[in-house]
Amino acid sequence: MSVSATVAVHTAGQDGITMQEVILPSPTGHQVLVTIEASGLCRSQLRQMTLHGSGAPYLLGHEGVGVVAEVGPDVRDLNVGDRVVVTWIPVTGEGVRTPQWATVDLGDGVVAETIDGIFTWGTHTLVDESFLVPLTAADTDPALSLVGCALITGLGSAVYVGECSLGENVVVIGAGGVGLAAIAGAACAGAAQVLAVDIDDAALALARELGATSTLNSRTSDLVEHVRATMGRGGMRGADLVIDCVGETLTANQALECARPAIQGSGIGGRVVVAGVREVPITFEGAQFVIDQKRITGALAGGMGRREILTTLDAIRSGRVNVGGMVTETARLADLGKAVERLRRGEIHGRALVVS
Ligand SMILES: [Zn+2]
């Protein structure tokens, strides 16, 4: 059964989005029609609006939570009425089947595409089941939308890619949606110190609520000096793990300088995880990799797959990860355009949600 839906459309060259009425057809194959209840505003969508250049209109939004309205004939594990997270990471069928990327007919022969294979900025979405994570009937918190992107990107950068372990000293640069999730992940993993770094005091206040043991405004204080003064292990000053959620040459180099050199004989220096991309290319001073034996790695979606996402959901349900605390404002879908503008102007701390 086809449904009338409202979706956000972005056209190349535009700064913002327009809301359009469309007809979504019945799902085919492995597709699932989901009624979206809440969707998050991710900064990477702003980047996508700037970068995409095919000229085709795009549907946006890559994290959401909702209820299955209809399933395609090949869908086996989901049923009408099931609650789901919509994520841009294919979580089923990997290596077995290539997920079908969503497209939507806008009428007059115009077909909108998607950048990540899914869209969540709208009243409904029509997605491949590979992009859906099942929830329980009790999982009604709209903040679970963040499991689709921000939470897994940040928490996974700390826990899975960064391999944060008990008693380690961690620095998180950038306390937006992803940074807050990295802080929560490091705290959950048992880090001794979690230093949150940002240029905005309001973001830092929020970081303390999510598990940061200390904060630093890098606009007014010297980050590297502070870390070397307050963190160390085995006589080597600096952090065991630094997560750069910004991804610029400046922050990636600060991260590398904050990481501690290898303890003599261990051959293992501090680790840096770059979890954000704002600048390409990023350049480094190379000697630290050799002499200090520091390690740097990139993280896409926190290195998570289905199993890790399900484990994270359990951590949320048991209260060990406060995903609700990362949501700082909620807007109506009709006001999505205004919320996107606020995101662009840097006025949103943490994560904003839009609800249908
Ligand atoms: Zn995102």
Side-chain angles (χ1 to χ4, degrees):
M1 186 180 69
S2 59
V3 296
S4 300
T6 304
V7 295
V9 179
H10 177 256
T11 306
Q14 277 184 344
D15 273 345
I17 45 122
T18 53
M19 303 305 290
Q20 286 195 29
E21 304 295 317
V22 296
I23 302 293
L24 295 180
S26 269
T28 59
H30 289 271
Q31 283 184 322
V32 178
L33 179 70
V34 178
T35 306
I36 295 290
E37 292 182 342
S39 180
L41 271 67
C42 179
R43 286 200 66 87
S44 65
Q45 313 269 252
L46 299 179
R47 187 164 177 270
Q48 289 172 345
M49 285 186 204
T50 311
L51 290 183
H52 84 66
S54 80
Y58 274 90
L59 305 179
L60 293 163
H62 66 191
E63 63 173 43
V65 66
V67 177
V68 173
E70 192 176 349
V71 297
D74 297 328
V75 174
R76 296 284 173 267
D77 298 330
L78 290 169
N79 295 294
V80 172
D82 285 354
R83 306 190 66 78
V84 287
V85 167
V86 188
T87 176
W88 58 274
I89 299 138
V91 289
T92 59
E94 267 178 301
V96 178
R97 182 177 63 81
T98 303
Q100 188 178 346
W101 278 36
T103 57
V104 171
D105 188 347
L106 298 180
D108 297 326
V110 179
V111 174
E113 299 172 358
T114 49
I115 293 172
D116 300 304
I118 67 164
F119 62 97
T120 59
W121 287 359
T123 55
H124 300 76
T125 187
L126 188 61
V127 293
D128 193 289
E129 63 175 325
S130 295
F131 297 110
L132 299 175
V133 181
L135 296 172
T136 70
D139 293 326
T140 56
D141 186 351
L144 289 170
S145 167
L146 273 67
V147 174
C149 178
L151 188 80
I152 53 178
T153 301
L155 185 140
S157 294
V159 176
Y160 292 108
V161 180
E163 298 179 327
C164 180
S165 61
L166 216 57
E168 287 199 316
N169 297 323
V170 181
V171 177
V172 177
I173 302 176
V178 171
L180 292 175
I183 289 162
C188 193
Q193 295 185 66
V194 183
L195 172 68
V197 182
D198 204 286
I199 55 173
D200 189 299
D201 288 333
L204 293 173
L206 196 56
R208 278 194 183 270
E209 291 174 27
L210 269 301
T213 56
S214 58
T215 60
L216 180 130
N217 187 321
S218 56
R219 189 167 269 169
T220 54
S221 302
D222 188 305
L223 169 60
V224 177
E225 196 175 284
H226 177 84
V227 169
R228 287 180 181 165
T230 57
M231 292 180 175
R233 181 183 292 264
M236 293 298 172
R237 305 308 303 169
D240 299 303
L241 171 64
V242 188
I243 302 162
D244 175 16
C245 300
V246 180
E248 296 175 352
T249 288
L250 173 69
T251 54
N253 276 282
Q254 284 176 326
L256 205 56
E257 286 185 59
C258 286
R260 63 165 173 75
I263 299 163
Q264 206 165 21
S266 78
I268 301 171
R271 292 109 59 205
V272 172
V273 176
V274 180
V277 182
R278 244 186 237 177
E279 192 180 305
V280 178
I282 293 174
T283 53
F284 296 102
E285 187 266 294
Q288 296 185 77
F289 296 110
V290 180
I291 297 166
D292 294 337
Q293 302 183 68
K294 297 176 183 180
R295 292 179 292 174
I296 187 163
T297 183
L300 181 69
M304 286 210 198
R306 182 184 180 85
R307 190 172 56 108
E308 292 78 14
I309 294 176
L310 293 175
T311 303
T312 302
L313 281 167
D314 284 339
I316 294 169
R317 292 181 187 117
S318 65
R320 283 176 290 141
V321 175
N322 175 16
V323 70
M326 298 171 199
V327 176
T328 48
E329 54 186 276
T330 302
R332 305 294 305 177
L333 183 62
D335 294 323
L336 175 59
K338 288 182 203 161
V340 169
E341 274 317 298
R342 282 174 42 67
L343 183 69
R344 193 185 298 280
R345 290 198 297 266
E347 294 172 2
I348 294 176
H349 303 298
R351 200 62 144 193
L353 289 183
V354 283
V355 293
S356 300

